[in-house]
Amino acid sequence: MLIPALLFASVWVMVILLLSQLPLLFIGRVARRWALSLRAGVFLSSLIFVVNFFTGSVFSAIALTLRFLVLLTAFSLFFMTTSPDDLGLALDRIGAVRWLSRKWLGYPNALSFTFTTAVRLVPTLAVDAQTVVDAQRSRGLELDRGNLLRRIRNYIPILIPLLLIAIRRSLELAEALESRGFPGKEGRTSLFQLKLKRGDYAIIGISVGAIAVSIWIFFHYRVPVF
Amino acid sequence: MSRAREIIVAKNLGFNYAGAKKPAIQGVNLSISEDEFILLTGPSGCGKTSLCRCLNGLIPNFYQGEWTGELMVDGLDVTTQPTSELSRRVGYVFQNPENQLFALTVEKDIAFGPENLGFSRDEIRERVDVAMKITGTSALKELAPYELSGGQQQRVALAGVLAMKPSVIVLDEPTSFLDPHTAEEVMRAADDLRRELGLTIVVVEHRLDLVARYAERIVVMDGGKIVADGNLGQVLDEQFDMLEGLGVGVPRVSLLWSMLRRDGLVSGKVPTHVEDAASALSGMMSD
Amino acid sequence: MITLEHVSFRYSSGYLALHEIDLSIQGGDFVAIMGENGAGKTTLAKHLNGLLKPSQGRVLVDGEDTRKVSVAHLARKVGLVFQNPDHLLFSETVKDEVAFGLKNFGFSPEVVEKQVGRTLEALGLAEYADKSPFLLSGGERKRVALASILASEPDYLILDEPTIGQDYQQKERLRNFILQLYSQGKAVVMITHDVEFVAESNPKVILLSKGQIVGKGSADSVLSRDEMVNRASLVKPQMSRLFGELTKYGLPRDVVDVHRARILLEDKLGEVKAPVAQNP
């Protein structure tokens, strides 16, 4: 999905790509969350549109905005349908990651573990953030008053406790994990393992095919912007 | 009658955290055998958590500082072993149930320990299933740790520790965040483990009444030193005033009996829990 | 006075956390809100200072509807001390930390300095005034958090689980401090599941279970009744369990405090030892 999106700057292509992503959204049951993430992307989308409108044609503006949406959707799809654990397991098997991890941290599985743990701790930290906001508001802190400078300063009583809580939590977690043998010896095994199924091969096949076709079209035709 | 094997032996053990003015523990001599249920208590800052950290190697591997004396756990010298090796002998359940569990599902979390030890997938599977069965957490297998109640989380933490097949389990104020009902469940679970698997249990707790029914032995610390070590009933009976002076949370029934005894209204040993106290008082009143 | 009139609260996820709560708290009251984890105790506490507004019903603080005024305004009268001090502490010194609330409320520097000094004295923290709060022990940090709320002398003090992780001596000090506060005419509301602490402090007890009030009354009446205690996933205090076994000797059942227990037993055992001589 990424390669065709980046190769072309045509409205038609983008519309086709976007439409082809829609069924995937429904299969992955993430359609509603995707719609929400689109809302977050409105600012950037409008920016892209406006800049390109003034530096190019209205059609190239539309095309590039759509490209942004296609990329956004592609990434969203990926992260919303893949559990952090599976991601971790996949990362664990990539030789390059293991090598890097061994070089930087001393253990082959440390890097992917850092990634997945960080992802897992985000919701917990979000709850803590809300608690800190509640606690400081209960001491009279008003976050929605004052000029820009004051508002930024008002976030210090939020950020510092949050930072410290994050650090303390990581330390406690590290302690608990080390007490259960982490990181262990070289030969760490995994109870679960990702296996490539028939469906996965099919997707890989289709993707490779789509990339090949895109590259061929790119070199042989000029696809009009509109 | 054969004596139970000595599983933890501390000789003149001391530790000073890096940059600390006073040592956290000093001159600790302690001997713990298999199959004991020990209550470790003392005022805040007395060194009980530090002592526990020595038992599974967090001191000196995770916490830097000056170590003095000797500590042998299951025949191993703690100062020469990595924590991963010691974690197979001594399991540690922490105070905050939330910050010990991290995996996406309960099952994956329990598997974490054995995975670290590099066992075969079949071995890991077996350990996880057995640990879940013993702690009654099999039904929670597919749930995420953050979806569980505090009590369930502590039981899962216990299962995760059991999967390492340790001989000793240390529980550091495991019931602080739990409601009284759940706290009792966790304590009973710990005692079940001792009786069914012959494990040694060490519980750190301020509130003695929670543990008094299960612990036979009490170790009291103050200022980094052990100030009392013996049978719970005996220590409560003979050293009651000292315990009260330290500010230890003696069981209310023990306090009551001690006050009545001082006034000469009752005689006999200080009871450690309600059932004992009830029968002792009934005895006094039917005379 | 704080009144809750028919308050219900539903989270945006649809979960009904509070159901038809009717409650009033006035100066001089000492109240313990108890219940199992997840019963809605903290949710209830957050309604008292306006952090949460009821989905149905209303909360009045000294006559003001919490939906119509800001949290900052209510925070002047209602001090809510959160369970984990790490959620509050951020300043360079303990002094600054304790001054935070006062500064937010717009007090003059002279008043701020005076109040900070007084509060630090009262809580035994004067020696730490210039230290960093992060270097203190857990118990000390809890006291700094408490000081930072008390400095502005709110009329209503809400403590969320103040006894967790504290040893017996620290709890004694807390109990004495609470006693001082409500005898000065303030209202102290304590959210807790520490049954023995409540038994020895004798507050009015409100039992919460699954978002509803399932019991209200004095500590000895509420905590000595099995149905009530079980519904809130609590355990009866030791004295209550003991006296439950001794009713056949004519002793009352509703005893939770060890000192009252002692007096009752002294009388009863005195009788046994020297039975009252009957008239011939």
Side-chain angles (χ1 to χ4, degrees), chain B residues 42-44 95 173 175-182 184 206-207 209 213 245-249 251-256 259-260 263-266 272-274 277-278 281-287, chain C residues 35-37 83 131 164-171 193-196 200 230 232-235 237-239 241-243 245-246 248-249 251 258-259 261-263 265-270 272-273:
Chain B
S44 285
Q95 189 181 27
E173 294 192 60
T175 62
S176 292
F177 292 98
L178 306 179
D179 60 50
H181 204 73
T182 319
E184 281 228 1
H206 284 301
R207 298 167 296 174
D209 50 298
R213 193 179 298 127
L246 273 185
V248 168
R252 303 291 86 191
V253 292
S254 313
L255 174 62
L256 178 65
M259 291 195 283
L260 293 171
D263 292 341
L265 289 165
V266 297
T272 59
H273 51 276
V274 174
L281 278 173
S282 296
M284 292 283 139
M285 289 199 270
S286 4
D287 280 346
Chain C
E36 79 268 14
N37 286 353
Q83 181 178 335
K131 275 185 90 164
I164 287 189
Q166 308 269 294
D167 67 23
Y168 192 71
Q169 270 182 339
Q170 289 166 326
K171 290 195 219 183
H193 51 58
D194 193 334
V195 176
E196 296 291 348
E200 265 178 62
N230 287 336
S233 194
L234 297 171
V235 179
Q238 288 214 323
M239 289 297 105
R241 282 184 281 167
L242 178 64
F243 276 67
E245 309 274 332
L246 300 175
K248 54 179 175 260
Y249 300 104
L251 287 162
V258 73
H259 299 288
R262 173 201 192 167
I263 294 174
L265 284 171
E266 278 177 354
D267 288 342
K268 183 57 64 162
L269 289 166
V272 167
K273 289 208 150 186

Side-chain angles (χ1 to χ4, degrees), chain C:
Chain C
M1 180 155 85
I2 302 184
T3 14
L4 280 83
E5 293 174 2
H6 264 47
V7 167
S8 295
F9 181 77
R10 192 180 287 273
Y11 278 102
S12 53
S13 61
Y15 176 66
L16 186 66
L18 293 177
H19 184 66
E20 303 271 313
I21 304 283
D22 284 290
L23 191 55
S24 72
I25 297 162
Q26 47 195 1
D29 275 353
F30 177 27
V31 180
I33 300 182
M34 309 184 76
E36 79 268 14
N37 286 353
K41 316 191 285 287
T42 305
T43 310
L44 180 55
K46 290 187 187 173
H47 276 83
L48 300 175
N49 75 342
L51 274 176
L52 290 177
K53 323 275 191 213
S55 317
Q56 278 175 309
R58 61 181 189 165
V59 179
L60 297 173
V61 175
D62 289 347
E64 292 180 299
D65 188 324
T66 58
R67 287 170 300 190
K68 303 209 172 93
V69 288
S70 69
V71 172
H73 174 82
L74 290 168
R76 297 227 26 203
K77 289 192 263 200
V78 183
L80 176 50
V81 185
F82 278 65
Q83 181 178 335
N84 185 354
D86 294 334
H87 283 123
L88 283 93
L89 304 178
F90 72 99
S91 311
E92 280 187 55
T93 64
V94 167
K95 243 185 359 204
D96 291 334
E97 195 67 62
V98 175
F100 183 61
L102 291 164
K103 291 198 196 136
N104 286 333
F105 298 137
F107 287 106
S108 71
E110 300 84 45
V111 173
V112 171
E113 192 168 331
K114 191 178 82 165
Q115 284 299 102
V116 168
R118 278 178 65 180
T119 318
L120 289 178
E121 276 299 332
L123 284 167
L125 294 168
E127 56 183 300
Y128 301 127
D130 293 306
K131 275 185 90 164
S132 160
F134 306 113
L135 296 176
L136 302 178
S137 73
E140 288 159 348
R141 291 203 309 274
K142 250 184 131 106
R143 269 189 290 156
V144 172
L146 179 60
S148 74
I149 306 282
L150 282 174
S152 47
E153 295 192 13
D155 297 319
Y156 309 93
L157 185 67
I158 325 267
L159 304 167
D160 193 345
E161 300 285 3
T163 61
I164 287 189
Q166 308 269 294
D167 67 23
Y168 192 71
Q169 270 182 339
Q170 289 166 326
K171 290 195 219 183
E172 281 283 279
R173 259 185 292 176
L174 179 66
R175 184 179 311 124
N176 290 330
F177 194 72
I178 292 179
L179 180 68
Q180 268 186 335
L181 287 172
Y182 74 77
S183 56
Q184 282 168 6
K186 299 204 190 294
V188 179
V189 178
M190 181 172 65
I191 296 177
T192 185
H193 51 58
D194 193 334
V195 176
E196 296 291 348
F197 184 79
V198 169
E200 265 178 62
S201 317
N202 197 27
K204 206 161 47 174
V205 174
I206 295 177
L207 286 186
L208 215 57
S209 176
K210 299 199 189 17
Q212 287 181 284
I213 295 184
V214 298
K216 242 198 254 202
S218 67
D220 37 26
S221 66
V222 171
L223 293 179
S224 52
R225 295 177 41 195
D226 282 299
E227 344 78 73
M228 290 219 172
V229 164
N230 287 336
R231 263 202 281 185
S233 194
L234 297 171
V235 179
K236 278 158 63 178
Q238 288 214 323
M239 289 297 105
S240 169
R241 282 184 281 167
L242 178 64
F243 276 67
E245 309 274 332
L246 300 175
T247 47
K248 54 179 175 260
Y249 300 104
L251 287 162
R253 199 181 269 275
D254 61 343
V255 184
V256 297
D257 175 47
V258 73
H259 299 288
R260 177 165 172 236
R262 173 201 192 167
I263 294 174
L264 286 168
L265 284 171
E266 278 177 354
D267 288 342
K268 183 57 64 162
L269 289 166
E271 270 175 37
V272 167
K273 289 208 150 186
V276 178
Q278 296 296 321
N279 281 327

Side-chain angles (χ1 to χ4, degrees), chain A residues 24-47:
Chain A
L24 293 174
L25 286 170
F26 287 107
I27 295 176
R29 279 173 289 197
V30 293
R32 184 175 291 146
R33 285 165 66 191
W34 170 73
L36 286 172
S37 74
L38 278 189
R39 245 188 28 193
V42 156
F43 178 68
L44 222 49
S45 309
S46 345
L47 191 64

Side-chain angles (χ1 to χ4, degrees), chain A residues 7 15 60 68 70 79 85-86 124 141 151 165 168 177 181 192 211:
Chain A
L7 277 180
V15 169
S60 72
F68 172 70
V70 166
F79 282 107
D85 262 348
D86 289 341
T124 330
L141 182 71
R151 287 209 206 186
I165 285 182
R168 224 182 268 275
L177 297 183
F192 297 103
I211 293 176

